[in-house]
Amino acid sequence: MDGLDTLKAKYLTAVAGASDESALEEVRLAALGKKGEISALMASLGKMEPEVRKAAGANLNLLKDEIDAALRAKKAGLADAALDERLRSEWLDVTLPGRPRPQGSIHPVSQVMEELTAIFGDMGFAVAEGPQIESDWYNFDALNIPPEHPARQEHDTFFMARAADDARPPHVLRTHTSPVQIRAMTAQGAPIRVIAPGRVYRMDMDQTHAPMFHQVEGLAIDRDISMANLKWTLEEFCRAFFEVPSVELRFRASHFPFTEPSAEVDIRCSWEGGQLKIGQGDSWLEILGSGMVHPKVLAAAGVDPAKWQGFAFGMGIDRIAMLKYGIPDLRAFFESDLRWLRHYGFAALDMPDLPGGLSS
Ligand code: DAH
């Protein structure tokens, strides 16, 4: 019996001292494995007298069970400790924001269109759209530009090809966004407040002209809208768009067939060291055409000029994008040069809005 107590003490100490699962397995094999010490004693029972064997067998089984229980308890303890250790070392902060790596960038023209939409949206203007292939009635006649009018020549129009026997009215690639005025008023009537950003086409190509470029049209019609509302709206727009505390606009009398009176609008600026600064300085930069919508234009769109009046304006989007973001050559806008797009492009997730800042 003394022998068994010694064995018990030996293995329980070994179990307690095992520092990991493989050390514990070695202890198990040494005691209870096929060639282990306890197993050898079990095998020796066969040679004993039946009376002796009975008592010795019972004691051996007891010892075997005790060592087995100690092994299991230790094994569970080691597994718990291993799990605790993993939980401590392998953690992940699920509250960290993701780190997206967007491919590509937003083109400055798209960015500026979003900025325009945000600013005019804040002033109650909705976005209106029209087709880029337009009938010459919408592009010219309805805007008080009859067929013999010289403005038709000035527009360097692209005409759609037609078979000689095709009787449908001629279509053109729209030369300006002004026809959207007609479409919006015809669809919605008055009062109305819309902007219409989009592509326009003219046969022209040099450093400041491309055959396709972008304009935004503005239109506000109500009972008593005046030039004063036009001036405030444009000042407010320029201040927000160029992100300067104040701007000064100069209205120069001009002529457009679709407005009466008409004005071209310049913004005060300076060119210090080749750097354009909007808002202050001794120079003026022309940024748009505008005026009070001509009664004939209202009538063409089914709006009664005796009851309604308002202003319209048209502005080159590419041009104000060049001015705001210091982009020198218009042609590069449409060359799809990846280096240019990476340099002048905007982050895809950085959509402009007024509270968040337009270009920040
Ligand atoms: N449609 C004119 C152009 O393309 C720009 C323009 C001038 C639009 C005056 C207007 C306006 O709405 O009132 O040159």
Side-chain angles (χ1 to χ4, degrees), residues 155 175-176 178 181 202 215 217-218 256 258-259 289-291 312-314:
H155 275 217
T175 58
H176 50 177
S178 302
Q181 288 187 33
R202 289 183 200 179
Q215 283 187 339
E217 195 78 9
F256 299 104
F258 30 89
T259 43
S290 66
F313 60 86

Side-chain angles (χ1 to χ4, degrees), residues 98-112:
R99 295 185 193 108
R101 299 221 178 100
Q103 297 284 313
S105 60
I106 301 292
H107 194 284
V109 169
S110 303
Q111 176 78 13
V112 165

Side-chain angles (χ1 to χ4, degrees), residues 261-290:
S262 304
E264 281 174 297
V265 177
D266 304 334
I267 188 166
R268 188 184 279 283
C269 68
S270 70
W271 294 94
E272 270 165 38
Q275 257 311 93
L276 172 69
K277 262 220 186 104
I278 300 282
Q280 43 189 285
D282 301 325
S283 303
W284 294 93
L285 205 70
E286 184 191 324
I287 53 165
L288 59 90
S290 66

Side-chain angles (χ1 to χ4, degrees), residues 90-117:
E90 300 174 13
W91 62 278
L92 183 72
D93 185 351
V94 293
T95 66
L96 273 181
R99 295 185 193 108
R101 299 221 178 100
Q103 297 284 313
S105 60
I106 301 292
H107 194 284
V109 169
S110 303
Q111 176 78 13
V112 165
M113 283 195 187
E114 292 295 336
E115 295 181 17
L116 291 168
T117 307

